[in-house]
Amino acid sequence: MPLWLELVIRVGGVLVAFLTLPLLVGQAEHKVMAHMQGRLGPMYAGAFHGWAQLVADGIKFVQKEDVTPRDADRAVFRLAPAVALVPYLLVLLVIPLGPDDLVGQPLDIGLFFVLAVVGVGVVAVLMSAWASANKYSLLGGLRGAAQLLGYELPLVLAAASVAMAAGTLSLSGIVEAWQPWWLIWQAPAMVVFFVAGLAEIRRPPFDMPVADSELVFGYMTEYTGLRFAFFLLAEYVGIVVIAALTTVLFLGGWQGPFADAQLGWLWTLLKVFAVAFVIIWLRVSYPRLREDQLQRLCWLVLVPASLAQLVLTAAVRVAL
């Protein structure tokens, strides 16, 4: 197969995943939240249980007026949604779906690349907050910056633990080195990574930057139409990315109970959607954390736990 054709197929597959998986997660969130709260959720769009609700929402956003505040920094204001969305597309390029290079672009330093790109999210928050010329947006942006910069540390330390255990920064290499007993050995790192990942994508109960009861809608207050939809899409893509990284780093990726490499992609997707369900469940079950509680959890719980896990991992590696 020509190199250019292989490249087109790989990038095309990642784009399809980028556009479809967030819609599936969003639709699942609508229905799961509804049933947890004793409701039906979407039922009419698309006829069968409202399967086309998010498609209808997307069409609605496209038709809405695109308003830019008079005092806003127009260039930065309009660029911020793209800065929030594009990093997740780049991350999806290097997350392996299955064995035998079933990945958009295999990288030997895939984990390093992922952690570096995910950190760009704070730039989008600050851009949208500052450029909006709105005090509520600015407060939300400052909250978001404090939250994202703080939770990046336990996120990186937890990922470093599993990379040290596997002896590689390649995401595919980590999956190949993974063993079932890691579910116990690396369990603290998995919990830290998952919680820090929720904070990085600003999902409840870590949604202080967009607290509607206090800040209208935080750094997204002044956004309308398609640009607002891009921020929402970034949130759902973020769910897919955090679920996929948790799956690849801590749950064995494509490894399943049967040694059939042809079904590896299926095991990966099943694990990703299972982790996404937990993310949705946490949104329904827990109230929003206060700012002091959020920072205390980061610096007094997650950071010490991740450092202790690093020491444990190093000790086990030396012993083995």
Side-chain angles (χ1 to χ4, degrees):
M1 181 184 299
L3 180 60
W4 66 268
L5 181 57
E6 181 180 355
L7 181 62
V8 169
I9 293 175
R10 288 178 180 270
V11 174
V14 172
L15 283 175
V16 170
F18 179 75
L19 294 174
T20 57
L21 291 180
L23 292 179
L24 294 176
V25 171
Q27 180 65 19
E29 181 173 58
H30 277 90
K31 301 300 287 188
V32 169
M33 287 180 60
H35 287 291
M36 284 183 173
Q37 296 169 346
R39 300 182 288 109
L40 292 178
M43 291 296 292
Y44 298 103
F48 182 74
H49 287 272
W51 67 268
Q53 182 61 53
L54 287 184
V55 177
D57 289 342
I59 296 173
K60 176 188 68 176
F61 281 122
V62 170
Q63 294 175 337
K64 284 184 174 292
E65 182 181 5
D66 182 15
V67 178
T68 301
R70 181 186 59 191
D71 296 329
D73 186 327
R74 292 179 177 271
V76 177
F77 182 85
R78 293 172 177 174
L79 184 61
V83 176
L85 193 58
V86 170
Y88 292 127
L89 174 60
L90 297 178
V91 170
L92 288 177
L93 280 170
V94 300
I95 295 180
L97 184 60
D100 303 323
D101 284 339
L102 190 57
V103 57
Q105 179 58 53
L107 289 179
D108 291 337
I109 55 170
L111 181 58
F112 178 83
F113 175 82
V114 164
L115 296 176
V117 172
V118 168
V120 176
V122 66
V123 178
V125 172
L126 289 175
M127 287 174 63
S128 59
W130 181 259
S132 294
N134 180 301
K135 62 181 179 181
Y136 297 108
S137 298
L138 182 58
L139 286 172
L142 293 177
R143 283 183 178 182
Q147 176 174 318
L148 296 180
L149 291 175
Y151 277 86
E152 277 184 11
L153 180 58
L155 184 81
V156 171
L157 291 175
S161 174
V162 73
M164 183 187 298
T168 179
L169 289 173
S170 168
L171 295 178
S172 297
I174 291 174
V175 176
E176 292 170 354
W178 184 86
Q179 299 293 330
W181 67 280
W182 285 20
L183 290 172
I184 300 176
W185 177 35
Q186 294 296 323
M190 180 176 65
V191 173
V192 170
F193 184 89
F194 180 74
V195 174
L198 285 182
E200 286 291 308
I201 60 176
R202 301 168 293 284
R203 288 282 299 180
F206 301 97
D207 59 338
M208 284 295 293
V210 291
D212 53 345
S213 60
E214 306 164 30
L215 302 179
V216 187
F217 216 58
Y219 61 90
M220 293 187 284
T221 297
E222 298 292 351
Y223 283 90
T224 59
L226 196 57
R227 289 191 176 88
F228 181 74
F230 283 165
F231 273 116
L232 293 184
L233 179 60
E235 177 181 340
Y236 286 114
V237 180
I239 294 175
V240 174
V241 166
I242 293 301
L245 288 175
T246 304
T247 296
V248 168
L249 296 177
F250 300 100
L251 300 179
W254 62 76
Q255 296 193 43
F258 306 108
D260 187 354
Q262 300 299 322
L263 294 178
W265 62 272
L266 180 59
W267 289 118
T268 301
L269 289 179
L270 288 175
K271 294 175 184 178
V272 167
F273 281 108
V275 176
F277 173 82
V278 175
I279 294 175
I280 296 169
W281 172 66
L282 289 175
R283 174 179 180 176
V284 181
S285 303
Y286 289 92
R288 180 185 303 127
L289 295 177
R290 297 196 314 265
E291 186 67 22
D292 61 314
Q293 293 173 329
L294 187 144
Q295 295 297 339
R296 189 180 299 114
L297 173 65
C298 175
W299 296 105
L300 298 184
V301 178
L302 297 187
V303 171
S306 58
L307 289 173
Q309 178 64 38
L310 268 179
V311 173
L312 174 62
T313 301
V316 173
R317 286 287 295 178
V318 171
L320 295 178

